[in-house]
Amino acid sequence: MTLEIVGISVLWLFLFGYLIIASIDFGAGFFNAYSLLTGRQHILTNIIQRYLSPVWEVTNVFLVFFFVGVVGFFPKTAFYYGTTLLVPASIAIILLAIRGSYYAFETYGSRGHKGYSFMYGIAGLFIPASLSIVLTISEGGFVSMVDGQPVLDYWELFTNPLTWSIVVLSIAAVLYISAVFLTWYADKAKDAKATSLMRKYALLWSLPLIITAIGIMVELRQHNAEHYGRMLDFWWLFAISAVMYVGTVWLIWKRKKYGLALSLLIGQFALAFFAYGISHYPYLLYPHLTLYDGFTNPTMAVALIIAFIAGLGLLIPSLYLLLKLFLFNKDYVRGKKDNHA
Amino acid sequence: MGNEESVFFSRVLTELTLSFHIIYATIGVGVPLMIMIAQWVGIKKNDEHYILLARRIARGFVITVAVGVVTGTAIGLQLSLLWPNFMQLAGNVIALPLFLETFAFFFEAIFLGIYLYTWDRFENQKKHLLLLIPVAIGASASAVFITIVNAFMNAPQGFDILNGELINIQPLVAMLNPAMPTKVAHVLVTAYMTTAFVLASIAAFRLLKGSNHIYHKKSLFLMLKLGLIFGIAAAIIGDFSGKYLAAYQPEKLAAAEWHFETEKGAPLVLLGILDGEEVKYAFKIPYALSILAHGSPATEVTGLNDFPQDEIPPLYIHYLFDGMVMIGMFLVFISFVYVIGKIRKWKFISSRWFRWIVVMGGPLAILAIEFGWWLAEVGRQPWILKGFMRTAEGATTSNNVDIMLILFSGLYLILGIGSVVVLRRMFRNNPVEQELEDRHAEKGGDFT
Ligand code: HDD
Ligand code: HEM
Ligand code: HEM
């Protein structure tokens, strides 16, 4: 394994972590707002707040880790993506900021203002949409070099069906991941009503998810034949992922083993996400930037990797403690204890 | 929009974001330590007031952390969005502390979540206090790492440039640059100091607004004691910062002091206005600049006329420097008077006018933080990486920075107002007296 591969694997792994936990968070916010609208708030709010409250900040750090790490390992990405992403990334930041702060404001300040909850819920869907634009741009065809500077063609970007399919996929994935997780969590909390409601949502969103996923493959074939070809090389990874998808849906349908369903879901996304990433290799931005031109110097790379290993040594036990206290603690999950400051 | 405009708006947006973030970041660095001290005193003295103090600060902290985190995320991304050329270079040399900082965030965020949600969950209060240690370490470590990055921008080292290529890169040498020791120490200590004065100012305000509860008096005394200690430390380290500047960034010091001619036994200029090169209406403290710069009255201080004209920073930083130092002296003075007054039982320290002065202390300390950063950053101009890259070369070429500036201004306005409103409501709806009563009622029944 070369240093380049180690670097990108680490970053991709954390991005995957962000994808999962942020999806749970974003989706939960949306379901919360939606249930307010339909007057079923009492069913969900408790479950959602119990899970989200202690962990929202940690979720955000996963994202920070990713973008700081990318610039560390691949400084040239700052030049290519930094210049072109000014508008979409700024919009994502503003939405993240509104969402993160209002969450804290509402939870700890004035509970129950409806306006906040709606803003919060809607922002949670726009964020994945605006972040997913980065993946679209990375497929190439939207950035051209003018006087040695990368320039993004917005017209091309916003009229391309690929863009919109990826946006829809990101939203469907958020809602599906979140619904499956919350089904499991509500079941653990022995909250039958919430379980059955979340189960319905999970099943509802499983279909749009798979349709858009397949649609994107088809569009990619036209848009970036090289990438499509490499994806076919890894067809078996996508195939296992699809089997896992079927497994999750089946278990949820049969109201069985929600824990296993959740594991399968994570496996499904992990395989698809990594298969996508591997087939993207070696490009960071088609066709301008590859892993190899963009890489930092070897000294820095080694230093970063050492720092990363040391950091993990600190992080894993701490994360374990967090999960043990809040995710796997029966009394906490069932709401028997509330020890908030 | 041409390149010049993107540079201009990138600067304004960076200034805006950092100036806003730094308020919440400073509080975020200082508060965990203050909670820790309050809770520790409470456990040691077995005094529920201090424990409640810790708990109430922790509750307010949730709000300021939230704004700190979201604005920090904004500045973190903006560095790449607005200064892509700089980050491409910096990424090669100084990425390590930035990367380490994310681990500090992780560490802090995880334990803060645990700490906040485990009040009264442990039989032994001390165990709960232990959870705060990683929070305080994480918060201070993130300040240390980011300040190292900033120190690197002021005194870059740990790499060579040969034919436009970076060679001989040494990440640790880059981190251990000459600006690092004073900068890191000064930033940390002023963060603790500022937080102490902000909390003292809240206590004094409550006392003025009718509540005469002993809880607020204890809080006030504790915070002013801490403020005094950290204030003195800040002044001492500030003096070292001056010596660092004299050695490595003499143009910044000379501009901050309106010191034009290189001379021995240079005086320190306070306030005044500038007429050409002539300083008018200023207070001059003889020899003080030589002492600040080199530690002895006879030494020589380089003046502005010995630098190339296009490498001199804007001269208005003089007022920023004066503002910061005067606020620092003033805060040390009032906390000193209060602490002595408390021991010697002077009456006037409990008078309304004195309390109003203490109330002013919090906002003034924050103002001093802003002055200090503007001094440090504007004083580095025209460089973004001193001696290697000018600010204009580091900026983005994108044309939409002005619109982003408007959007972010709106965002900060909302966040600023929102956080103040929420904090006020949070404490007004749950006054100390009420909370103490509730806790006593609760304790009567069960002991868990
Ligand atoms: C409560 C805040 C506060 C107070 C009271 C002081 N400072 Fe300060 N100062 C800062 C907050 C600060 C800061 C915000 O933390 C800065 C900005 C950049 C830095 O490294 O620290 C700073 C920078 C800074 C610099 C520039 C360092 C550089 O650019 O590298 C100098 C020379 C001093 N300070 C000196 C002093 C002196 C002599 C003080 C005497 C009382 C003083 N400061 C009080
Ligand atoms: C990664 C580190 C940093 C980078 C890349 C950076 C970059 C910049 C740049 C390019 C400017 C514009 C200067 C100008 O044209 O006026 C600026 C200004 C500023 N920076 Fe830094 N900075 C960094 C660290 C910090 C830190 C740690 C702080 C403290 C919070 C800070 C506070 C400020 C402030 C307050 C300004 C406004 C100064 C002004 O009015 O011009 N910076 N910074
Ligand atoms: C002296 C200057 C600064 C101090 C003391 C400081 C400190 C802090 C603190 C305490 C937080 C809250 C972290 C948390 O609770 O998780 C924070 C957030 C953050 N800061 Fe700053 N910061 C400073 C300047 C900067 C600068 C210049 C940058 C840009 C490189 C930056 C990047 C960030 C980021 C990315 C976050 C969000 C972290 C998260 O998501 O948890 N900070 N900062």
Side-chain angles (χ1 to χ4, degrees), chain A residues 49 101-113 116-117 120:
Chain A
Q49 297 241 325
S101 55
Y102 274 117
Y103 172 69
F105 289 0
E106 193 192 1
T107 320
Y108 306 104
S110 58
R111 200 172 274 260
H113 191 296
Y116 291 174
S117 304
Y120 182 71

Side-chain angles (χ1 to χ4, degrees), chain B residues 147 150 154 182-183 186-187 190 193-194 234-235 238-239 241-242 244-245 249 252-253 292 321 324-325 327-329 365 368-370 372-373 375-376:
Chain B
T147 310
N150 186 261
N154 283 289
T182 46
K183 221 180 189 115
H186 198 57
V187 167
T190 53
M193 166 186 176
T194 302
D239 181 56
S241 301
Y244 152 78
L245 283 186
Q249 293 180 282
K252 196 194 268 186
L253 186 66
L292 176 70
F321 185 66
M324 172 181 70
V325 173
I327 292 173
M329 297 297 180
I369 290 280
E370 298 283 359
W373 278 111
L375 160 72

Side-chain angles (χ1 to χ4, degrees), chain A residues 53 57 60 71 75 78-79 82 87 90 93 101-102 104 108 110 149 296-297 300 315 325-326 329 339-341, chain B residues 55 59 62 66 69 73-74 80 84-85 88 92-93 106 114 116-117 119 121 169 397-398 400 404 414-415 425:
Chain A
S53 305
E57 231 195 303
N60 193 54
V71 175
F79 175 65
V87 176
S90 293
I93 300 172
S101 55
Y102 274 117
Y108 306 104
S110 58
Q149 295 287 340
T296 188
N297 56 86
M300 181 56 83
L315 199 59
L325 283 173
F326 297 113
N329 184 301
N339 296 317
H340 174 47
Chain B
R55 188 164 185 163
R59 222 178 277 147
V62 177
V69 168
T73 310
S80 296
N85 301 315
Q88 188 183 342
N92 271 300
V93 190
F106 261 124
I114 298 179
L116 288 176
Y117 283 84
W119 274 90
R121 191 150 148 183
I169 291 172
T397 46
S398 176
N400 303 313
M404 296 304 121
I414 296 174
L415 291 180
R425 198 181 298 157

Side-chain angles (χ1 to χ4, degrees), chain B residues 319-331:
Chain B
Y319 295 112
L320 301 174
F321 185 66
D322 284 355
M324 172 181 70
V325 173
M326 288 191 313
I327 292 173
M329 297 297 180
F330 177 70
L331 293 179

